[in-house]
C-alpha cells in the first residue's frame, strides 16, 4: 500500500517545482516577482471570439454533451485554415479531430498507438509532454538531437538501425518549445522521405505556427507530398488567438492515426463545451488582424528583452519563432546548473525563468525565458537582471543532485 503506482514511478521529480516553490515563498513575503517562467499568454482573447462564445452560450441547446471529435463546423474551419495557410487539403470527417489543447491530443495519441516495449524518438530538450506522454503510456523514449538538420537525420538513421524493436514514431516540434528553432520545408522533405522508407510515424507539434518573426512563415510537414501517409500534426488555438484557458486544439493528417486518437477520446471525454467550439470556429473563419497584432506584440517584446539582456552582459540569441528565448547560462554561473541558476536569479533579481533541465538533461545549460509580460515589466526585469549580473553574485548555490540526474 505504501509503494508508488507503476506509472507514477516512471515519472522523475518535477524539476519546475523547485523554482515554483521559491517563487511562491517570495510572493508570500510580498515580493514583486516578474514571472517569465510559464508560457502563459497575458493578452486577452480577441473581442469577436468572446462575443461568439457569449452568443452561443445563451442557446440552451449548447448546454448538452458535445461531440468528442469536435462539432462539424469546427472541423471544417480547421480544414479551411490548413488549406489557406499551408495549401493542404484535409477531409474534416476523417483527417481532423478537435482536442482539448494540443497537450491532451499528444497524450491521448500516445495511449492509442504505443505500449510497453515500443520506442519513441524524441528531441532532447523538448516540451515535457513529448516524452512523458509516451512514458506514462508505457513506451520507452530514445533521445535525438533537437536541431532540424542533418545531425537529427543521422541520429534517426542510427536509431532505426540499432533499436530493437524498430522505433514506432518520431516527434518534431518547430517552431520549438523551448529552443525556438524553426524548420525549413527542405528538412521536412528529407524527414518524410526517411520515415516513409522506414515506416516510421511523424508526430508534429505545430502549436507555434503563427508565432514567427521573419519573412517566411513556418511550414507544416503536411505540405510535403506523401507526408499524410505517415504524419499526424497538432495545432493549438492557445497562442495564435490568446486562448490558452479555453483548451482547444486539433490533430490532423493520417486518417489511421486520427481515427485512433478519436476512438480513445470517445471513451474519455465528450469534447470541449460546445460554445467554446463555436467560438473557436469563429476565430478560424473570422478576421485575422488579431493574429498579426499578436505577432507584432511578441516581436516587440523579443527585441526589448534581447537588447536589454545583451546590454546587461548576457549574450542570448535572438529568435525567429515561438514566444521564448532559449538562453545559455552565463559562464560565471554555469556550474550551478539550470535549477540552481534559476533559483539564484529569482532571489537576486526577482525574475522567474524556467530551468532548462525541465525539458531534458541536454537542456541543463540553458534557461527558458517567456515573452509573457508587457514591456514595462520586461524593463523592470532587465533592471534586476543587470544589477544581479554586474554584481558579485556567483555564490555557492548547488542544484539538487536528484534533479540533475534526470
Amino acid at each position: 500500500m505504501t509503494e508508488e503506482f507503476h506509472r507514477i514511478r516512471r515519472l522523475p521529480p518535477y524539476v519546475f517545482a523547485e523554482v515554483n516553490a521559491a517563487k511562491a515563498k517570495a510572493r508570500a513575503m510580498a515580493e514583486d516577482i516578474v514571472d517569465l517562467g510559464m508560457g502563459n499568454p497575458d493578452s486577452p482573447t480577441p473581442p469577436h471570439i468572446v462575443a461568439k462564445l457569449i452568443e452561443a452560450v445563451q442557446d440552451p441547446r449548447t448546454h448538452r454533451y458535445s461531440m468528442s471529435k469536435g462539432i462539424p463546423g469546427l472541423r471544417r474551419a480547421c480544414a479551411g485554415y490548413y488549406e489557406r495557410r499551408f495549401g493542404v487539403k484535409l477531409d474534416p470527417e476523417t483527417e481532423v479531430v478537435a482536442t482539448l489543447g494540443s497537450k491532451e491530443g499528444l497524450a491521448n495519441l500516445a495511449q492509442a498507438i504505443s505500449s510497453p516495449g515500443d520506442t519513441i524518438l524524441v528531441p532532447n530538450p523538448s516540451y515535457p509532454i513529448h516524452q512523458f506522454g509516451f512514458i506514462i503510456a508505457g513506451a520507452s523514449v530514445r533521445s535525438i538531437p533537437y536541431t532540424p538538420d542533418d545531425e537529427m537525420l543521422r541520429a534517426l538513421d542510427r536509431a532505426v538501425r540499432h533499436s530493437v524493436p524498430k522505433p514506432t514514431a518520431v516527434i518534431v516540434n518547430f517552431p520549438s518549445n523551448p529552443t525556438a528553432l524553426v524548420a525549413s520545408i527542405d528538412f521536412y522533405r528529407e524527414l518524410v522521405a526517411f520515415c516513409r522508407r522506414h515506416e516510421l510515424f511523424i508526430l508534429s507539434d505545430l502549436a507555434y505556427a503563427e508565432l514567427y518573426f521573419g519573412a517566411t512563415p513556418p511550414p507544416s510537414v503536411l505540405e510535403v507530398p506523401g507526408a499524410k501517409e505517415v504524419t499526424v500534426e497538432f495545432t493549438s488555438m492557445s497562442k495564435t488567438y490568446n486562448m490558452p484557458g479555453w483548451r482547444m486544439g486539433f490533430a490532423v493528417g493520417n486518417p489511421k492515426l486520427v481515427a485512433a486518437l478519436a476512438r480513445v477520446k470517445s471513451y474519455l471525454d465528450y469534447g470541449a463545451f460546445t460554445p467554446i467550439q463555436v467560438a473557436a470556429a469563429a476565430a478560424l473563419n473570422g478576421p485575422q488582424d488579431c493574429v498579426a497584432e499578436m505577432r507584432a506584440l511578441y516581436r516587440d517584446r523579443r527585441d526589448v528583452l534581447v537588447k536589454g539582456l545583451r546590454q546587461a552582459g548576457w549574450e542570448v540569441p535572438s529568435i525567429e519563432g515561438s514566444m521564448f528565448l532559449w538562453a545559455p547560462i552565463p559562464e560565471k554561473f554555469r556550474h550551478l546548473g539550470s535549477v540552481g541558476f534559476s533559483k539564484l536569479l529569482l532571489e537576486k533579481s526577482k525574475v522567474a525563468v524556467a530551468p532548462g533541465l525541465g525539458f531534458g538533461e541536454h537542456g541543463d545549460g540553458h534557461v527558458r525565458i517567456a515573452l509573457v509580460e508587457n514591456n514595462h515589466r520586461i524593463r523592470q526585469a532587465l533592471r534586476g537582471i543587470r544589477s544581479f549580473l554586474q554584481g558579485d553574485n556567483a555564490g555557492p548555490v548547488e542544484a539538487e543532485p536528484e534533479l540533475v540526474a534526470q
Side-chain angles (χ1 to χ4, degrees):
M1 294 293 288
T2 60
E3 291 184 5
E4 287 272 20
F5 296 110
H6 168 69
R7 296 190 192 280
I8 301 301
R9 284 203 306 269
R10 300 196 74 206
L11 297 175
Y14 187 58
V15 172
F16 301 116
E18 288 293 304
V19 176
N20 289 343
K23 185 168 56 179
K25 182 178 179 181
R27 284 178 168 158
M29 298 172 65
E31 293 181 359
D32 183 15
I33 303 298
V34 181
D35 193 349
L36 304 179
M38 187 177 180
N40 194 1
D42 61 313
S43 299
T45 305
H48 69 283
I49 302 173
V50 176
K52 179 56 71 172
L53 173 73
I54 294 170
E55 176 189 323
V57 82
Q58 291 173 336
D59 182 348
R61 292 174 298 178
T62 67
H63 299 177
R64 307 179 72 184
Y65 291 129
S66 190
M67 296 180 64
S68 178
K69 66 184 291 187
I71 61 175
L74 178 58
R75 285 182 278 116
R76 287 194 298 269
C78 179
Y81 163 75
Y82 258 81
E83 186 163 11
R84 292 191 308 272
R85 173 68 164 79
F86 304 110
V88 172
K89 291 185 179 294
L90 297 169
D91 182 342
E93 288 300 314
T94 62
E95 297 176 341
V96 180
V97 59
T99 61
L100 306 179
S102 58
K103 187 174 182 179
E104 173 268 318
L106 280 158
N108 278 328
L109 185 66
Q111 298 288 338
I113 70 171
S114 62
S115 58
D118 289 340
T119 299
I120 309 298
L121 306 178
V122 182
N124 190 337
S126 69
Y127 186 54
I129 196 63
H130 295 158
Q131 58 174 320
F132 293 120
F134 285 95
I135 288 173
I136 292 170
S140 299
V141 169
R142 176 167 174 164
S143 294
I144 57 173
Y146 62 86
T147 51
D149 56 16
D150 288 342
E151 183 185 4
M152 178 183 278
L153 294 169
R154 286 192 297 268
L156 288 176
D157 183 64
R158 288 193 299 272
V160 168
R161 285 189 288 111
H162 298 299
S163 296
V164 179
K166 186 185 71 176
T168 302
V170 56
I171 294 180
V172 292
N173 168 218
F174 303 108
S176 169
N177 176 9
T179 67
L181 294 174
V182 179
S184 69
I185 193 66
D186 290 334
F187 169 77
Y188 283 146
R189 288 193 186 98
E190 294 191 55
L191 178 68
V192 168
F194 177 88
C195 291
R196 290 178 67 188
R197 190 161 60 247
H198 294 283
E199 298 182 329
L200 192 66
F201 287 129
I202 300 170
L203 313 181
S204 172
D205 182 351
L206 195 61
Y208 297 89
E210 302 306 332
L211 261 178
Y212 61 90
F213 311 121
T216 304
S220 161
V221 65
L222 290 171
E223 293 179 48
V224 178
K228 204 182 292 183
E229 295 176 18
V230 293
T231 302
V232 66
E233 188 162 72
F234 294 88
T235 53
S236 170
M237 307 288 287
S238 296
K239 277 71 179 183
T240 303
Y241 297 99
N242 289 313
M243 297 170 64
W246 299 53
R247 307 315 302 136
M248 181 54 59
F250 305 94
V252 306
N254 180 270
K256 182 178 180 180
L257 293 173
V258 167
L261 173 58
R263 184 169 184 185
V264 167
K265 281 177 58 63
S266 72
Y267 285 93
L268 298 177
D269 69 69
Y270 287 108
F273 186 36
T274 297
I276 291 177
Q277 297 192 50
V278 171
L284 291 166
N285 292 332
Q288 301 300 300
D289 304 25
C290 56
V291 180
E293 292 168 1
M294 174 271 303
R295 263 196 301 273
L297 175 73
Y298 284 116
R299 182 188 296 113
D300 187 41
R301 291 179 179 181
R302 174 204 65 173
D303 293 344
V304 170
L305 186 57
V306 169
K307 181 180 178 181
L309 289 175
R310 289 173 177 173
Q311 288 176 341
W314 190 349
E315 284 303 316
V316 298
S318 190
I319 57 171
E320 291 303 315
S322 87
M323 58 189 294
F324 308 107
L325 295 188
W326 185 237
I329 298 173
E331 181 66 34
K332 181 180 179 181
F333 304 98
R334 203 157 294 168
H335 68 285
L336 302 176
S338 60
V339 176
F341 175 71
S342 297
K343 291 168 69 176
L344 186 63
L345 187 70
L346 178 67
E347 177 189 346
K348 301 295 184 179
S349 69
K350 310 307 176 189
V351 178
V353 298
L357 183 61
F359 304 95
E361 65 271 24
H362 295 304
D364 199 27
H366 292 71
V367 293
R368 193 193 70 177
I369 309 176
L371 305 173
V372 293
E373 291 277 10
N374 61 42
N375 283 346
H376 172 75
R377 294 282 283 172
I378 289 175
R379 291 189 176 96
Q380 176 183 332
L382 288 168
R383 287 192 294 272
I385 292 172
R386 186 183 305 114
S387 175
F388 164 58
L389 292 180
Q390 294 176 357
D392 183 19
N393 294 301
V397 179
E398 298 290 343
E400 286 72 9
E402 68 271 17
L403 293 177
V404 173
Q406 296 307 320

